Amino acid sequence: MTDLCKHDGLLINVLKEEGQIFPFLDAIFGFLYRRTDFYIVKDNPDGKIGFPVGVAERVVWECFKKWQKLAVDSTAEQNDLKSVMEDDMAGLVIHEEEVVTTDDVGDFSVLPTEPIQEKQDSVEDLTSDTYNGTDCGAYRWSQTSTEVDIKVPVASSVIKSSDVKVDIQACQLMVNVRGEEGNWNTVVDGELAFKHHKDESIWTLLPGKLITIHLEKIGERWWDRLLTTEAKLDLSRLDTTRHITELPPEEQMQVEKVMIQEERKRLGLTSPEHQEKLDMLKKAWNLEGSPFQGTPFDPSVLQPPP
């Protein structure tokens, strides 16, 4: 746990200075923008600057899911975290549930925090390690129509990246883990049932817990197994509902736009387009020659009678 906490002193100072989670995260991503190539899209496969399209987002998502999984599984660690927060961060606002006015939000559109309803009565949770996949003992895997995620549990002694060897090929996957006596043990070794984009694969180690491996499929399709040695899944029993994150960027933007508009309606706020028209009208209200010059701004007078 020492290695995991080695930056806590620095980060806690930033969090205390910012006062809330959102500006804290904004500072982190702002640093990545100003001082790294994190947001640069690599246009040359052989280039050393930037990332291929979608990889930066995937890295962020994988990190989030890694710690989300730990938070769900480790109730005791959550209690420890609460104790640390109570001792070291008294008075610090970590979560706010209410957006009071549009002035507080400014021009920044916030997506609603209520989860999108999914088919939940007959299928596994989307965050399950075996969602549309299976538990193979030494590893377990899940999938969407475009991605595959693999979890390989490791011993508590496996805490450094040098303790593991992950070899991801277009058609082959091998995972070796160092034992307590220094010997190497092969925990996964087999031929992948389908090809994937090798250059977009990612693996991470959650020290003492598990190795996570992410694969991007070539085209949209459902895999009936991960390795050729596995028994085939019944594809008719899979949950084929597409999550919003699987939609093309243009469609995601349209869905998010509708969600924002619906949330603003629920909060009694005007749409961005309507607000823009009101702002223009307000600027022209007292201009020279305006019939409303010198009167309080009241756009309702321009509305036709019911």
Side-chain angles (χ1 to χ4, degrees):
M1 198 66 174
T2 302
D3 288 342
L4 296 179
C5 301
K6 64 182 180 180
H7 300 303
D8 283 6
L10 175 63
L11 294 175
I12 200 69
N13 288 331
V14 177
L15 184 54
K16 285 182 176 179
E17 182 176 336
E18 296 297 337
Q20 297 178 7
I21 284 293
F22 178 79
F24 169 76
L25 293 176
D26 189 51
I28 297 296
F29 283 99
F31 170 80
L32 293 176
Y33 165 73
R34 295 189 306 273
R35 305 300 295 272
T36 76
D37 61 347
F38 188 73
Y39 287 100
I40 298 178
V41 177
K42 184 185 296 185
D43 54 4
N44 180 0
D46 298 325
K48 296 183 179 180
I49 303 298
F51 296 87
V53 175
V55 171
E57 293 93 331
R58 173 50 49 188
V59 170
V60 173
W61 180 236
E62 281 297 309
C63 288
F64 171 80
K65 289 200 296 183
K66 178 180 76 172
W67 291 105
Q68 181 189 51
K69 176 64 176 175
L70 182 61
V72 171
D73 290 348
S74 305
T75 304
E77 292 188 20
Q78 290 185 61
N79 293 334
D80 291 342
L81 176 60
K82 291 178 181 178
S83 299
V84 172
M85 290 170 61
E86 290 172 356
D87 293 340
D88 296 341
M89 302 169 63
L92 181 62
V93 178
I94 296 299
H95 176 68
E96 294 184 344
E97 296 182 351
E98 202 172 19
V99 177
V100 181
T101 68
T102 53
D103 291 335
D104 293 332
V105 179
D107 295 330
F108 186 82
S109 297
V110 181
L111 290 178
T113 56
E114 297 177 0
I116 301 174
Q117 293 296 319
E118 303 279 354
K119 295 194 303 180
Q120 296 179 340
D121 295 335
S122 59
V123 297
E124 292 182 274
D125 191 305
L126 187 62
T127 60
S128 170
D129 289 347
T130 58
Y131 174 76
N132 282 341
T134 189
D135 188 338
C136 298
Y139 63 94
R140 48 191 183 270
W141 65 281
S142 61
Q143 66 172 320
T144 66
S145 62
T146 58
E147 306 167 344
V148 175
D149 288 294
I150 308 157
K151 302 290 194 302
V152 183
V154 297
S156 57
S157 59
V158 180
I159 59 175
K160 299 180 180 179
S161 59
S162 58
D163 293 329
V164 301
K165 294 179 180 179
V166 180
D167 184 17
I168 306 173
Q169 300 297 325
C171 300
Q172 196 81 15
L173 176 64
M174 178 180 291
V175 179
N176 293 302
V177 178
R178 192 194 306 273
E180 294 184 1
E181 299 179 357
N183 56 309
W184 287 95
N185 301 314
T186 300
V187 291
V188 180
D189 184 13
E191 180 182 354
L192 292 168
F194 302 93
K195 290 184 177 181
H196 67 101
H197 293 289
K198 174 188 171 184
D199 293 339
E200 297 183 14
S201 60
I202 300 172
W203 71 269
T204 59
L205 172 66
L206 180 58
K209 298 290 184 179
L210 51 82
I211 301 167
T212 65
I213 303 171
H214 177 79
L215 309 179
E216 291 281 345
K217 296 179 179 179
I218 295 180
E220 293 190 23
R221 68 168 300 163
W222 296 101
W223 290 14
D224 58 8
R225 49 187 170 167
L226 177 66
L227 303 180
T228 56
T229 53
E230 298 175 16
K232 292 185 177 181
L233 299 175
D234 181 356
L235 296 182
S236 65
R237 299 179 62 86
L238 300 185
D239 173 24
T240 57
T241 303
R242 297 185 71 188
H243 191 265
I244 185 175
T245 56
E246 298 179 63
L247 298 175
E250 297 80 6
E251 294 183 28
Q252 287 189 41
M253 292 177 62
Q254 290 300 320
V255 172
E256 291 174 353
K257 182 178 180 181
V258 172
M259 291 169 63
I260 293 171
Q261 291 175 346
E262 291 300 317
E263 180 66 5
R264 293 180 68 90
K265 287 181 181 179
R266 187 181 71 82
L267 296 173
L269 305 176
T270 58
S271 68
E273 293 81 2
H274 188 202
Q275 185 62 49
E276 183 178 356
K277 293 179 180 178
L278 287 178
D279 292 341
M280 293 177 62
L281 180 60
K282 190 172 183 179
K283 290 179 180 179
W285 192 266
N286 276 311
L287 292 179
E288 185 176 353
S290 169
F292 307 107
Q293 187 176 16
T295 63
F297 178 65
D298 183 10
S300 64
V301 300
L302 300 177
Q303 299 294 331

